[in-house]
Amino acid sequence: MGKSITNKEQQVTYMKQRLNMFLEVLDAIEPETAELEDIDRLIAMVDELDDKMQQFKARPSGE
């Protein structure tokens, strides 16, 4: 398991990277051929982003 990110700047960078990853997956999905599994994966990614944001909000700043 990796080291906790407590620096606010690193947290923002991490969230931007994860959001960009989500957007890349979203762009790769063809609406006409999207399957339920594709939509479920997008929902899971959003849930993971939300969970991580909540974790970051609860951590003390390491700046």
Side-chain angles (χ1 to χ4, degrees), residues 6-45:
T6 55
N7 177 285
K8 292 293 181 189
E9 187 174 314
Q10 289 175 329
Q11 291 173 349
V12 170
T13 299
Y14 175 86
M15 292 303 294
K16 284 180 179 180
Q17 290 170 342
R18 296 299 298 213
L19 184 57
N20 283 332
M21 207 181 316
F22 171 80
L23 293 173
E24 288 174 9
V25 171
L26 182 61
D27 284 341
I29 293 176
E30 294 295 330
E32 298 83 23
T33 59
E35 306 237 349
L36 185 57
E37 292 80 17
D38 298 323
I39 305 305
D40 286 343
R41 180 62 189 139
L42 290 171
I43 292 169
M45 290 177 81

